[in-house]
Amino acid sequence: MINLTIDNQKVAIEEGSTILDAAQIVGAKIPTLCYLKEINVIGACRICMVEVQGARTFVPACVAPVAEGMVVRTNTPSVIKARKLVLELILSDHPMECLTCVRNQNCELQTLAEEFGISEIRFDGAKTEYPIDDSSPALIRDPRKCVLCRRCISVCTNVQTVQALAAENRGFDTLIAPAFNDKLADMECVQCGQCSLVCPTGAIVEKDDVDKVWAALADPKKHVLVQTAPATRVQLGEAVGAEPGSIFTGQMVAGLRRLGFDKVFDTDFTADLTILEEGNELLQRVTQGGTLPMITSCSPGWIKFCEHFYPDLLDHLSTCKSPQQMFGALAKTYYAKKEGVDPADIYSVSIMPCTAKKYECQRPEMFSSGYQDVDVVLTSRELGRMFKQAGLDCSNLPEEEYDAPLGISTGAGEIFGASGGVMEAALRTVYEVVTGQTLESVDFEVCRGLTGVKEATVQVGDLPVKVAITNGLGNARKVLDKIRAGEADYHFIEVMTCPGGCIGGGGSPIPTNTNIRLKRIDATYTEDERMVLRKSHENPAVTALYEEFLEKPLGHKSHKLLHTHYTPRGVNK
Amino acid sequence: MKSLDELAKIRENRREALKIREGIPSATEKAHVMMCGGAGCISSKCTDVVDAMKESLSKNGIADQVQIILTGCMGPCDMGPVAIVYPDATFYRRLKPKDAEAIVEEHIMKGNMVQRLLYRSPGAKEPTPKVDDIDLFAKQKKIVLRNNFYIDPTSIEDYIANNGYAALGKALVEMKPEGIIEEVKKSGLRGRGGAGFSSGMKWGFTANAKGTPKYVVCNGDEGDPGAFMDRSVLEGDPHSVIEGMAICGRAIGAEQGYIYVRAEYPLAIERLDYAIKKAREYGLLGNDIFGAGFNFDIEIRIGAGAFVCGEETALLKSIEGKRGEPRPRPPFPANAGVWGKPTVLNNVETWANIPEIILKGADWYAAIGTEKSKGTKIFALAGRINNTGIVEVPMGTTLREIVFEIGGGIPRKKQFKAVQTGGPSGGCIPAEHLDTPIDYESLGEIGSMMGSGGMIVMDEDTCMVDIAKFFLDFVVDESCGKCSPCRIGTKRMYEIIDRISNGEGREGDIELLIELANTIESTALCGLGQTAPNPVLSTIRYFRNEYEEHIKDKKCACNVCEFKE
Ligand SMILES: Cc1cc2nc3c(=O)[nH]c(=O)nc-3n(C[C@H](O)[C@H](O)[C@H](O)COP(=O)(O)O)c2cc1C
Ligand code: SF4
Ligand code: SF4
Ligand code: SF4
Ligand code: SF4
Ligand code: FES
Ligand code: FES
């Protein structure tokens, strides 16, 4: 333990901790900007400066380790003045566009300006002028709003290991951008949006498609339907101001109806369907000698990652489309026919915790109904904004139910939102289908939690099924490298692009951090427990779908509508 | 190299062959011509002189009795090309190819010095032929540049002849690692790369740090514009750096060294590369050096060129092949250097001191210099001064001695105004402080710093606002852009100074500059930002009236700044 004094308070803390950690113990709040716990600890912004007795300069609390006998002052007039000037400098190179900025009222820079009481900016010199990059269907980069904190670089490089972003040029001209200043759409960026989740400002944001949805809703000819991803119900509450971990299913459904959607459906339905298709695919591969391990394919960022960095392993991917795209394909075929609606008039909206889904719905493979299967994807953040625009106080709406049939689901579909959920759902079904016995407990605890790579062996009848579950692409890499090296004897691997799975997706409410992820995960399993049906193969609507339309898993129609193929893309440089 | 005896044998043999350079005439050789091959003399075409001289020697049939050797920079670059002809130790300057014939036929063949090519002190009627008598050199003390007059930088045996590798032998055979560190500590040697940290302490921290392997790194990035001290050492005496690093390797328990040299120094790289090969050949690098069971080798890393890559943490990143950007310290390189391993990083000039300290002892070294700054320091003189070039002087020499005695004062009878020390982020020191004995502390007290040893002299025609703007422009360009105070703050300072120098200065600008400067100094991440405001702060401190004139009267007394209409 290290003993030190902060603002005249004695504090003891473990060696290796920072001044910032220690200050938290004594309740001294030190402002930060570039710092992001566990992700970005680089001491770049210099907002967190404190006074340390005997030090030649001020010291950045976020990176400076504590030392025995250290005497720290966090709030002397001179240190406050210095921080304020640093912030004033940052603001002097910032477009003052809060009123028209997506991050208005949810921006760390803006909050700092307010907390510091910045009332004037005395510098009227040059400002960073780089063009906005809106090439990507998912994200927009506006370097003018970038404070060069490099959180995005850290998350993209260290967590996702995509390395799409880097610092270029130097000095005042420093730019955080795709290498060689490529457009985000034209390179290895997997559109996961983790960068937008950690960005403290409006410099990387989701592409806002809210107006497209308003336009469709306003069009009387359009039959506008919406699907909501599993994770959205444990996120939307936050997007409209509720506590993290709030379950918001019924309110969200009610809110969507009030917005004017003709039908409110649930991606959980096609999550259940995915389990039937994918579970059967797995059994087929195991029994007929297909490529193993088989890897899940519901996370579009992961698909793009594999296409770029592991094109040689594409055969390992399940051919199943993601639940979003299965839904899209069925909505404009099965549902259209059943409801007697012209698929040309259907406008299919999807609410996702994900930016990569915006990219996915535009892929050329995703037009199997004869139309673009999903017309537009809104992130949880965008739907939150729509609710606000509509003046809906969703928290106080009476809860409502999803529409049938594409809104009927089980707990297995629900847990798709958390890392390990797809695996757990698959195990619930595969076990019962293979053994013909009923599972005593449907809870596969080994699948759950935030651990980067989870492994388990589950006895299914005679077969010990070896599985692995990864979240965050850096963790996927570990397992993929094992496969490449021929050292992986798994049968089935679940890969989620984002840390924690979809509940921590790039389109989630901001902030999203480990703590909040854990709360959303808890909420997800609570929701699962509340469901009457918890196994995908028990979903009556899915059974009906097969009877009325698809005939059987992996059948001809399934093949056409629910399965896809992949494109090796490789790495540009 | 397996023993001290073996080294001694090479030394004695070679000394015998080089006696002529100690002034002892030789039976077989008529002369050794040490032609300066430093950058300055190369650019004033010393190689043409060499060619002409060779031609003349052949014509006269004595090519085999005269050696011509290209040395490292001898110092007085503005007089280049310069040469010393042994055994007389005659110093010639401003040589042209057409002078070669006279030197060969008159001096070398007949023993008549060529009067018109000799050095004359300012105002003196008679020339000073012998290099040791020349005032310019007499006031200097050569420890680091000890070999530049004498050895062929491409000859390891020349280096050995002048006691080269004897220190390494002593360290390996006669000393313990702790003893080496103790000796370096006691010598009082402080880093010559700028910060002036005790080298012995740095070695001690690294020796005690957890983690293996450990590394030894030489910082040869030398990014200060106009500085070429390190270059002169690397080009003129590469083995002195290699030997210093090997000694450190023994002291801290490292087997691998890296020398980081900027790509702009191709000759230094070539000389080093050759020297490393030779050292390996002689068993002075490699395995079981001096039979002491000590292995050490060195690799060269070529720098990407940015100024900030000279900052130690940036340099370490750059060695690893990453973008050279500073990171916060701690951890210091002593604990987490190259590849996160304990690393000693010292400057070229620091390294070149080590062999002399080990050989002659800490007490000898500590007797030179001031109380807190020991030994000598090389400075690069530039600007409005008669003798530009490099000089090595004992710490504690006053600025006046350097500028007026060694440097020969200000040309064209102009008045001295200020001298800027410490490179682009050093401060400008006015005449009232000329008698300051230079050391790390005293320069800091008067608002400047030792830095790596740049010294730019300004005369009465220099506008101090313009000068501050010039230096600021450099740091704005060279800021790596990682931390906000430096990236944006220096830019804002530049913009303010720019408007002042345009006649658009505003009331309060001086105070705003000071406020910015103080904050940047106390909040920037690395030394670049922390020192960047020095030129501005020091010129405001000593020449505030010039700023006020520019702002209030829209006047530049030196007629340097052009005001907008
Ligand atoms: C911006 C910047 C540039 C630097 N450039 C150099 C350089 O070119 N050469 C050098 O030896 N040290 C340079 N330094 C100092 C190094 O960081 C480091 O302190 C030094 O190399 C340590 O060696 P020493 O203890 O022998 O001086 C620079 C420091 C800063 C902040
Ligand atoms: S990024 Fe933040 S500070 Fe900048 S315009 Fe947007 S809300 Fe305002
Ligand atoms: S979307 Fe994902 S892959 Fe693309 S830049 Fe952001 S973090 Fe990197
Ligand atoms: S884009 Fe955002 S996260 Fe990335 S460096 Fe800029 S401000 Fe930081
Ligand atoms: S002080 Fe300047 S050079 Fe140093 S880290 Fe900050 S921006 Fe880079
Ligand atoms: S928060 Fe500490 S330097 Fe940015
Ligand atoms: S280069 Fe010849 S004296 Fe400096």
Side-chain angles (χ1 to χ4, degrees), chain A residues 42-46 49 56-60 63-65 81-83 85-86 88-90 92-93 122-128 146-148 150 167-174, chain B residues 305-308 323 325 327-331 476-485 487-489 491-492 495-496 499 506 512 515-517 519-526 530:
Chain A
I42 61 169
C45 73
R46 320 304 279 183
M49 306 309 280
R56 203 169 33 87
T57 61
F58 294 133
V59 168
V63 287
K81 190 172 165 213
R83 284 180 198 153
L85 183 55
V86 171
E88 190 183 342
L89 284 171
I90 294 173
S92 77
D93 180 28
R122 293 168 292 170
F123 310 106
D124 46 9
K127 288 197 176 190
T128 302
C146 173
V147 294
L148 293 133
R150 307 190 183 201
E168 286 176 38
N169 309 332
R170 62 172 188 239
F172 194 75
D173 299 329
T174 307
Chain B
F307 175 64
V308 78
R323 177 174 157 117
E325 241 177 32
R327 61 154 175 81
R329 298 171 306 177
V476 168
D477 263 3
E478 294 297 331
S479 160
C480 81
K482 182 166 176 177
C483 74
S484 343
R487 177 174 62 89
I488 311 171
K491 176 87 168 175
R492 297 297 174 239
E495 288 166 344
I496 295 168
R499 74 179 175 231
R506 305 170 195 167
L512 195 53
E515 188 186 339
L516 274 169
T519 301
I520 297 168
E521 282 186 338
S522 60
T523 59
L525 191 158
C526 86
Q530 288 165 6

Side-chain angles (χ1 to χ4, degrees), chain A residues 20 31-35 42-49 60-63:
Chain A
L20 188 65
T32 56
L33 183 57
C34 67
Y35 173 78
I42 61 169
C45 73
R46 320 304 279 183
I47 283 292
C48 66
M49 306 309 280
C62 70
V63 287

Side-chain angles (χ1 to χ4, degrees), chain A residues 54-111:
Chain A
R56 203 169 33 87
T57 61
F58 294 133
V59 168
C62 70
V63 287
V66 292
E68 190 60 36
M70 204 178 222
V71 178
V72 180
R73 301 285 304 270
T74 69
N75 54 13
T76 62
S78 60
V79 86
I80 288 175
K81 190 172 165 213
R83 284 180 198 153
K84 199 168 165 181
L85 183 55
V86 171
L87 184 61
E88 190 183 342
L89 284 171
I90 294 173
L91 294 175
S92 77
D93 180 28
H94 194 85
M96 298 300 176
E97 295 173 359
C98 298
L99 291 183
T100 52
C101 181
V102 196
R103 294 295 294 271
N104 193 10
Q105 306 217 28
N106 187 11
C107 167
E108 294 179 45
L109 184 63
Q110 193 187 46
T111 306

